[in-house]
């Protein structure tokens, strides 16, 4: 079946004339009801068909464009945080359940220009804030490995779609783990690139610099190929990563050499007992890296616990920067109203001081880790939890605390701006995926992808299929 192929294999089949972009779109549109995982808020099958027809006609009459990348003609989806012209864009919120933008943001335009038809707006929680995907505008996003359990968040719909074979590859976004969390829950590769690697144009909605777009895929090479599509600087960007030496896909074929690997397992942002499966995944990954010739060393947690308060101040203010349209405030989720209220209570000077302290914490962490090539931690404190286990509308403070306990490592690398990837190296005895996380120095995605690809070759996972595949 076409969905058994990796995204790169599908793109290569298009290049060779074995399948057309329209046939790929029709295949995935036909699979849309094959398994219910809460992947999409708004399907856009007809728009995808129109785009794919244009590509198919172009292929027949002119051939592939000379600048076409390896994913040209491969379908994808767009997270519903990205405004898309003429398509309902809810931001995961009932307050925007009928909003249709006039213009698309740069990520949408970039994906379209790369020849990747979008089959729909993928599911996300309200304004992308929680680490679970249970919005009021769509059913919960669930992992196809056990549909009673969360797909994670906030890129839960994108991860559920890729893991269930409803999309070959998909972009996500990550401000505190929102790509890597669902990657772990869904058994995928989830790559958060360095700060500035992917432009935030034209909205530049995160003045703190925590959030970035990134990629969700079944293989490291697919994730790298989509990063090649998304990466790039725009005029007006407040910061940017230096140009890579080649493509990120090419980096997957380079041997990383012998690396110094720092590892720690103590939770960064919460006092929580780490699940034995997460410990086992981390230990197994350590041994695998050592077997590949790398030096693995235990290190202290590089970010102090007092950084958590500064992160929470910034997170609350960022939530307050996403208001409901006038008269629709009552449609916001209790968690959003609670966090937004905390954000509105922060003064301008206090916000500035919190940003400054976060940057000081980041600088200290980068200095402490400077002699290491990569850092290894678990991705999550446990396998994916039951839908509703984290959400608590009656007590948003408990909801937020439980989210931190589930995700005690991911946000550290948003603070430092380091690239980080979750790899699906472990499964529980009852078939639940458990990710491990590798991070590299800022702007060193090429090294990170090189070692991730080496790990994947040594312990491949792409042939694993969830129920309903």
């Amino acid at each position: 079946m076409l969905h058994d192929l990796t995204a790169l294999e599908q793109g290569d089949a298009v290049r060779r004339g074995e399948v057309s972009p329209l046939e790929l779109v029709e295949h995935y549109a036909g699979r849309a009801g094959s398994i219910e995982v809460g992947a999409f808020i708004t399907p856009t099958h007809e728009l995808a068909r129109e785009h794919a027809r244009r590509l198919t006609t172009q292929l027949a009459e002119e051939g592939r464009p000379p600048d076409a990348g390896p994913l040209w003609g491969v379908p994808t989806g767009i997270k519903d945080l990205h405004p898309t012209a003429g398509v309902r864009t809810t931001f995961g919120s009932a307050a925007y359940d009928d909003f249709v933008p006039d213009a698309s943001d740069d990520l949408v335009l970039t994906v379209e220009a790369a020849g990747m038809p979008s089959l729909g707006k993928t599911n996300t929680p309200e304004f992308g804030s929680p680490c679970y995907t249970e919005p009021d505008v769509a059913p919960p996003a669930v992992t196809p490995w056990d549909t009673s359990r969360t797909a994670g968040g906030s890129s839960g719909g994108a991860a559920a779609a890729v893991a269930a074979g409803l999309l070959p590859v998909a972009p996500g976004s990550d401000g505190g783990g929102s790509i890597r969390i669902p990657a772990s829950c869904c058994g995928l590769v989830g790559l958060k690139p360095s700060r500035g690697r992917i432009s935030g144009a034209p909205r530049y909605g995160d003045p703190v610099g925590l959030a970035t777009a990134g990629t969700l895929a079944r293989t490291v090479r697919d994730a790298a190929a989509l990063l090649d599509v998304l990466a790039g600087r725009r005029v007006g960007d407040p910061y940017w990563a230096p140009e890579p030496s080649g493509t990120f896909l090419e980096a997957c074929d380079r041997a990383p050499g012998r690396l110094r690997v720092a590892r720690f397992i103590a939770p960064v942002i919460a006092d929580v007992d780490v699940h034995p499966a997460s410990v086992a995944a981390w230990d197994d990954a350590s041994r695998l890296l050592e077997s590949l010739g790398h030096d693995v060393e235990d290190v202290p947690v590089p970010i102090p616990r007092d950084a958590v308060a500064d992160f929470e101040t910034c997170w609350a203010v960022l939530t307050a920067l996403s208001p409901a349209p006038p008269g629709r405030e009552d449609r916001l989720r209790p968690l959003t109203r609670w966090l937004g209220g905390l954000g509105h209570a922060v003064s301008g000077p206090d916000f500035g001081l919190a940003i400054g302290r976060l940057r000081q914490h980041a600088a200290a962490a980068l200095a402490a880790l400077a002699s290491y090539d990569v850092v290894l931690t678990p991705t999550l404190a446990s396998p994916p939890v039951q839908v509703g286990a984290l959400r608590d509308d009656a007590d948003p403070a408990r909801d937020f605390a439980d989210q931190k306990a589930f995700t005690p490592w991911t946000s550290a690398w948003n603070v430092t701006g380091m690239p980080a990837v979750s790899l699906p190296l472990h499964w529980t005895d009852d078939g639940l995926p458990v990710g491990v996380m590798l991070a590299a120095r800022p702007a060193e995605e090429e090294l990170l992808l090189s070692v991730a690809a080496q790990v994947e070759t040594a312990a491949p996972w792409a042939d694993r299929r969830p129920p309903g595949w």
Side-chain angles (χ1 to χ4, degrees):
M1 299 294 287
L2 287 173
H3 61 278
D4 290 328
L5 303 176
T6 68
L8 282 166
E9 288 170 342
Q10 292 176 41
D12 194 47
V14 170
R15 182 186 61 80
R16 296 195 308 266
E18 296 174 358
V19 66
S20 73
L22 182 57
E23 288 171 326
L24 282 175
V25 164
E26 292 291 4
H27 176 79
Y28 282 102
R31 282 184 58 76
S34 64
I35 179 171
E36 295 299 327
V37 290
F40 294 96
I41 291 179
T42 304
T44 57
H45 294 174
E46 285 307 313
L47 289 174
R49 289 185 177 103
E50 291 175 15
H51 189 181
R53 286 189 192 101
R54 293 195 302 271
L55 298 175
T56 301
T57 299
Q58 180 179 3
L59 194 61
E61 296 179 352
E62 306 170 25
R64 291 174 85 250
D67 60 347
L71 296 181
W72 191 90
V74 176
T76 190
I78 299 294
K79 188 175 178 179
D80 207 28
L81 296 183
H82 295 281
T84 305
V87 176
R88 184 175 75 133
T89 300
T90 72
F91 309 107
S93 175
Y96 286 90
D97 61 356
D98 60 357
F99 176 60
V100 179
D102 295 326
S104 297
D105 75 1
D106 275 25
L107 181 138
V108 176
L109 297 175
T110 296
V111 169
E112 290 175 353
M116 301 184 71
S118 171
L119 283 157
K121 304 304 290 294
T122 56
N123 201 355
T124 187
E126 192 161 70
F127 306 140
S129 181
C131 71
Y132 54 83
T133 302
E134 300 174 25
D136 291 341
V137 291
V142 296
T143 176
W145 298 92
D146 178 349
T147 56
S148 72
R149 295 176 183 269
T150 183
S154 64
S155 304
V162 175
L166 305 180
L167 290 176
V169 68
S173 58
D174 191 316
S178 287
I179 287 171
R180 293 156 291 152
I181 295 163
S184 183
C185 289
C186 293
L188 298 176
V189 177
L191 174 64
K192 179 200 82 70
S194 299
R195 181 177 295 138
R197 176 64 67 195
I198 298 173
S199 175
R203 292 185 296 162
Y204 302 114
D206 175 10
V208 184
L210 297 174
T212 178
T215 64
L216 285 149
R218 286 165 48 211
T219 71
V220 173
R221 289 172 58 82
D222 282 357
L226 186 55
L227 180 59
D228 280 320
V229 169
L230 300 178
R233 175 185 172 187
R234 301 287 188 274
V235 174
D237 284 357
Y239 34 69
W240 53 88
E243 291 293 320
S245 64
T247 70
F248 293 112
L249 181 57
E250 290 168 344
C252 297
D253 296 326
R254 292 200 292 267
R258 184 170 182 169
L259 304 180
R260 290 191 73 198
V261 180
R263 75 168 197 164
F264 64 91
I265 197 169
V268 179
I269 66 169
D271 292 314
V272 59
D273 293 329
V274 181
H275 192 282
S278 296
V279 176
W282 178 75
D283 270 331
D284 289 349
S286 300
R287 286 190 289 271
L288 178 58
L289 288 164
E290 288 177 333
S291 75
L292 293 169
H294 305 303
D295 299 316
V296 179
E297 304 174 31
D298 290 296
V299 298
V301 176
I303 295 181
R305 186 59 61 85
D306 58 5
V308 176
D310 297 316
F311 180 88
E312 291 178 359
T313 294
C314 293
W315 196 257
V317 172
L318 292 175
T319 302
L321 295 179
S322 301
R328 288 194 156 206
E329 292 84 359
D330 62 328
R331 299 191 178 205
L332 294 177
R333 293 278 307 280
L335 176 67
T336 304
R337 293 199 297 270
W338 176 75
L339 273 172
L342 294 178
H344 282 292
V346 176
S347 70
D350 285 343
F351 181 42
L353 289 169
I355 293 174
R357 286 192 296 267
L358 268 191
R359 290 178 178 163
Q360 291 165 358
H361 293 310
L366 291 168
L369 297 170
S371 63
Y372 296 95
D373 299 294
V374 292
V375 187
L376 172 69
T377 70
T379 304
L380 299 175
S382 78
V385 298
Q386 293 286 323
V387 170
L390 300 176
R391 175 176 173 174
D392 190 340
D393 291 351
D395 187 353
R398 188 203 71 83
D399 181 319
F400 192 65
D402 286 352
Q403 290 185 63
K404 291 193 298 179
F406 185 51
T407 65
W409 299 280
T410 53
S411 59
W413 311 138
N414 298 88
V415 172
T416 62
M418 295 159 63
V421 63
S422 181
L423 301 176
L425 280 173
H426 189 81
W427 265 259
T428 64
D429 291 341
D430 53 352
L432 294 176
V434 180
V436 298
M437 187 165 54
L438 289 171
R441 301 182 190 96
E444 292 194 2
E445 285 92 340
E446 291 175 274
L447 177 65
L448 183 63
L449 288 164
S450 174
V451 69
Q454 182 190 49
V455 166
E456 183 178 24
T457 298
W461 54 72
D463 288 340
R464 286 185 177 268
R465 300 286 189 267
W469 181 268

